[in-house]
Amino acid sequence: MSSVYPFRGLSAFPPTPANINGRVNAQALCRLLDPLCDAGAASIGLLGSTGIYAYLTREERLRAVKAAVECVNGRVPLIVGAGALRTDHALDLARDAEAAGADALLLAPVSYTPLTQEEAYQHFLAVAKASRLPLCIYNNPGTTHFTFSRELLQRLSDVETIKAVKMPLPADGDLRGELAQLRQKTDLAIGYSGDWGAAEALLSGADAWYSVISGLLPRTALALTKAAMAGNDVEARRLDGLLQPLWEVFKAYGSIRVVYTLAEHLLGVRAELPRPLLPLGLAERQRVLDNAQPLIELEHQSLL
């Protein structure tokens, strides 16, 4: 098994359909996961930020993992989010995911009191020791307000089961420079989130795209991923251009609000945002649907 398994290529992060009380709709979740498997995603990122992990109870997170394991049935590796405010809760979530049949873990340093670098290290070390599953570091300072130093990433890369890092797009846009520095300090598989920068990240040599939009439009996202990882600059940028209308509404409204709007539209079921998050207004919702419709049609027609 490769040391980067399953942290290479397109990792599709679907929303988690749930009602206003946070009860997961297992049937609707499976309807989202089947197309990701059929399209050939390299992995599925269950209970990521788009999957509202931070808003679900332990019981509902386990319900989602069990439903996903049953639905996916080994077709695609499942990377399951185990982030929690307390270390002991994160340990429980990691063990739950492993026992339910997950293939890997994703861990963010969730906190209320800002963490020190040492506190984050001890937190990750404890979770890594609690499970035999390979673990991906979730570096998401926009949400967690914690930034991993290069030295901390280097320390964590020495932990046997920590295999990858999910990075935000660099503020200065220097993807090649950041990748070179990270590869010099660590042997982690390096992937990026921030969908609008995916083409550039993959063309710059990133190992993976941790993708929000692939949770709903996997064939489009996979075509972009394959083109970029093959070094086909023209095709990757063409596909990225097709997705620009969605990147516009992602930036305008936040990707989570856009994705839940589209999930309800595509599935025909309620996929409630957890309060205090509110659904988009009528005008904003219509803009999202108008921007997405050509891509939805393209996806279904397999014209890529």
Side-chain angles (χ1 to χ4, degrees):
M1 184 180 294
S2 168
S3 63
V4 300
Y5 173 90
F7 307 116
R8 182 174 174 80
L10 178 67
S11 188
F13 278 68
T16 304
N19 67 18
I20 198 68
N21 297 315
R23 174 79 171 185
V24 171
N25 184 331
Q27 184 178 13
L29 178 61
C30 190
R31 286 170 60 189
L32 281 172
L33 299 181
D34 271 331
L36 310 185
C37 299
D38 294 341
S43 64
I44 291 172
L46 189 75
L47 298 175
S49 295
T50 303
I52 59 171
Y53 77 92
Y55 298 92
L56 297 174
T57 65
R58 178 183 178 184
E59 291 74 20
E60 290 304 313
R61 289 167 74 161
L62 182 56
R63 180 194 306 279
V65 178
K66 287 181 175 178
V69 169
E70 181 178 358
C71 177
V72 170
N73 194 27
R75 290 177 288 171
V76 176
L78 280 170
I79 304 170
V80 174
L85 194 64
R86 293 174 56 100
T87 298
D88 53 352
H89 292 178
L91 298 179
D92 288 338
L93 292 164
R95 291 171 179 140
D96 284 351
E98 182 173 23
D103 298 289
L105 299 173
L106 177 70
L107 183 65
V110 183
S111 66
Y112 178 79
T113 299
L115 299 179
T116 67
Q117 298 288 300
E118 182 64 23
E119 287 167 342
Y121 175 76
Q122 294 297 335
H123 178 69
F124 274 74
L125 183 63
V127 176
K129 287 182 175 180
S131 167
R132 295 166 297 176
L133 297 179
L135 185 148
C136 179
I137 299 163
Y138 190 2
N139 184 7
N140 186 14
T143 298
T144 64
H145 308 293
F146 178 84
T147 300
F148 288 83
S149 68
R150 300 279 162 77
E151 291 71 25
L152 177 55
L153 290 176
Q154 184 173 19
R155 287 182 74 193
L156 289 172
S157 74
D158 291 333
V159 179
E160 183 179 2
T161 57
I162 297 179
K163 300 295 187 182
V165 60
K166 179 178 186 279
M167 294 288 292
L169 298 170
D172 62 4
D174 184 12
L175 282 155
R176 292 186 185 276
E178 180 172 84
L179 281 162
Q181 290 182 39
L182 288 171
R183 295 202 192 284
Q184 187 176 44
K185 286 186 173 290
T186 81
D187 60 357
L188 298 171
I190 304 165
Y192 283 86
S193 52
D195 279 13
W196 50 87
E200 198 63 47
L202 292 169
L203 286 166
S204 297
D207 296 304
W209 173 19
Y210 296 101
S211 169
V212 172
I213 199 57
S214 64
L216 297 175
L217 302 176
R219 296 186 186 280
T220 310
L222 186 61
L224 189 158
T225 302
K226 288 182 174 179
M229 294 188 78
N232 189 338
D233 186 284
V234 173
E235 179 64 2
R237 296 189 189 283
R238 181 187 77 83
L239 293 165
D240 185 53
L242 294 178
L243 287 159
Q244 284 303 315
L246 280 179
W247 304 160
E248 290 173 9
V249 290
F250 272 25
K251 293 176 183 179
Y253 308 130
S255 61
I256 191 168
R257 296 180 182 87
V258 172
V259 166
Y260 278 77
T261 298
L262 292 175
E264 286 195 343
H265 174 72
L266 293 170
L267 292 178
V269 300
R270 297 298 289 171
E272 299 270 10
L273 283 170
R275 297 295 182 268
L277 300 180
L278 295 173
L280 295 176
L282 291 177
E284 293 83 3
R285 176 182 173 85
Q286 192 58 52
R287 181 185 173 193
V288 167
L289 296 179
D290 289 345
N291 283 22
Q293 193 57 41
L295 287 157
I296 293 170
E297 293 174 1
L298 193 61
E299 179 91 7
H300 289 168
Q301 294 168 6
S302 299
L303 294 179
L304 295 166

